[in-house]
Amino acid sequence: MSDIYALGTFSEGAGGHWPGVIRGGRVAALAKLIPVAPADLLSVFRQWEVWGARIDAAVASAQEGWWRPEGELVAHLPCMPDNLFGAGANYRKHVIELIVDSGAGGTGHLSPEERRAYGEREMDQRAASGKPFVWVAARSSIAGPERALVLPHDIQQPDWELELAVLIGRRARRVPAARALDHVAGYMIANDITARELVTRSDLKNLGMDWMACKGSPGFKILGPYVTPARFVADPQKLHIRLSLNGEVMQDEGTDDMIFGVAQIIEFVSAHCELQPGDVIMTGSPSGNGTHYGRFLRDGDEMRGEIDGLVGAQVVRCVGEPVGSGKAFEAA
């Protein structure tokens, strides 16, 4: 059995949820490994410096009979973060692709070749002298991969964005990039679903993008299924992200294409906010989104997301929301 393991929240049948360890396709309940362990993963990550070492020791000495096949269980959202941050426009090829495909940045009058040259210049300048762009997600938009992704009936262009997510394990405030990765408990897969037609506002052009409208629908921030401890990830900039839609690979890119690396993003966020253990940062999505293909999510689609080096795959089924299934406005 592999030495690499990850943490998840599991259930069987109609039973309650419980934290567990997955290794080599088999799962052991955390309560079996450590009888005095917390009853949920958020509590584990809030004291990661204590529990991380204890879990390592417990996994190494676990009895064979404690492990069960992964397929017998349901994996849920690993834990609900108090804060979820997202880095926007953080992959060089992705941003250039958006400029070429949509004429973003006022380049609609240029040829595709001129748009690409413009985008390359802009991204080189941003990497040299710019800063990360980070937004904050609504907790109600966070979901685990066990839930079907409901595509709102009034959204026309729901798009996928597979990402590397970082789970914080130590309080971080004004942390320099050189020490930023010391504050990471683990990494997981995230899919930041975005309604493309709601990204910009025609009535408030000077205020930029509408991040709430395009990213805030229920279930649009999919995390998990597992958290791979940071000690198993030697370099987060040497991972590979892959998303398949109905078996066809759409995104296939290395994290080395990030404009700002994981450590720089943590440095930036902690300069403006205080990161707490259990907080999550999504670090941006590579090229290959639906905008590029002119193909958006629809009822019956299945997405499979993988990040080489992380345990597990994120499989999400899409279902359409029936028209008229909800009121436009809830009564006061």
Side-chain angles (χ1 to χ4, degrees):
M1 187 181 292
S2 172
D3 291 334
I4 298 177
Y5 70 81
L7 301 172
T9 295
F10 302 89
S11 70
E12 48 187 322
H17 299 182
W18 41 269
V21 174
I22 178 167
R23 182 178 64 161
R26 296 197 293 168
V27 178
L30 193 58
K32 180 70 73 173
L33 297 171
I34 308 176
V36 295
D40 62 87
L41 283 187
L42 186 56
S43 298
V44 170
F45 291 123
R46 282 176 171 164
Q47 300 183 63
W48 181 244
E49 292 177 292
V50 173
W51 290 111
R54 292 183 183 178
I55 294 171
D56 278 350
V59 170
S61 61
Q63 297 182 22
E64 179 66 22
W66 293 350
W67 300 93
R68 299 178 52 185
E70 176 186 11
E72 294 181 357
L73 304 167
V74 176
H76 300 268
L77 174 71
C79 60
M80 174 62 77
D82 288 332
N83 297 292
L84 176 62
F85 301 89
N90 195 42
Y91 275 76
R92 187 176 188 275
K93 292 178 185 176
H94 169 57
V95 179
I96 294 172
E97 195 172 81
L98 286 175
I99 292 172
V100 173
D101 294 338
S102 66
T107 62
H109 63 290
L110 302 177
S111 70
E113 293 75 18
E114 291 171 327
R115 293 179 196 171
R116 182 170 297 280
Y118 168 84
E120 290 172 349
R121 290 193 303 271
E122 288 293 302
M123 292 309 100
D124 289 343
Q125 181 177 347
R126 185 174 174 222
S129 59
K131 297 178 181 179
F133 180 89
V134 180
W135 49 277
V136 182
R139 279 171 56 90
S140 60
S141 69
I142 301 171
E146 84 285 359
R147 288 173 46 184
L149 171 62
V150 178
L151 304 173
H153 69 270
D154 53 352
I155 287 179
Q156 304 303 313
Q157 297 179 346
D159 201 352
W160 57 85
E161 292 191 11
L162 202 71
E163 312 195 6
L164 173 68
V166 179
L167 194 147
I168 299 298
R170 290 173 53 194
R171 174 188 172 274
R173 174 67 170 145
R174 298 194 178 98
V175 175
R179 292 191 290 106
L181 297 186
D182 295 339
H183 295 258
V184 177
Y187 299 91
M188 61 181 161
I189 301 168
N191 199 334
D192 173 22
I193 306 301
T194 302
R196 292 296 177 195
E197 79 271 26
L198 300 181
V199 171
T200 58
R201 290 276 296 268
S202 60
D203 58 331
L204 294 169
K205 294 180 180 180
N206 292 334
L207 292 184
M209 298 180 178
D210 193 332
W211 295 91
M212 182 193 74
C214 70
K215 294 177 178 286
S217 294
F220 267 29
K221 304 290 155 276
I222 309 165
L223 304 180
Y226 310 126
V227 180
T228 301
R231 75 178 186 86
F232 297 123
V233 180
D235 185 348
Q237 306 310 140
K238 293 183 179 180
L239 302 176
H240 200 90
I241 294 175
R242 186 178 304 103
L243 180 135
S244 298
L245 178 68
N246 303 328
E248 181 180 357
V249 175
M250 310 301 277
Q251 291 184 281
D252 193 9
E253 188 64 73
T255 55
D256 58 351
D257 193 48
M258 285 186 191
I259 299 170
F260 302 103
V262 171
Q264 292 172 288
I265 296 172
I266 293 173
E267 178 183 61
F268 177 80
V269 175
S270 70
H272 299 282
C273 303
E274 181 174 284
L275 287 165
Q276 298 293 333
D279 285 352
V280 173
I281 304 173
M282 300 183 298
T283 57
S285 185
S287 61
N289 304 111
T291 305
H292 175 66
Y293 298 104
R295 202 293 196 187
F296 300 100
L297 294 171
R298 51 189 182 230
D299 181 45
D301 281 344
E302 182 176 278
M303 295 179 287
R304 180 181 178 88
E306 300 169 281
I307 299 180
D308 293 348
L310 302 192
V311 176
Q314 183 187 96
V315 180
V316 177
R317 181 174 56 90
C318 301
V319 297
E321 179 186 55
V323 176
S325 60
K327 298 177 181 178
F329 298 97
E330 293 290 343

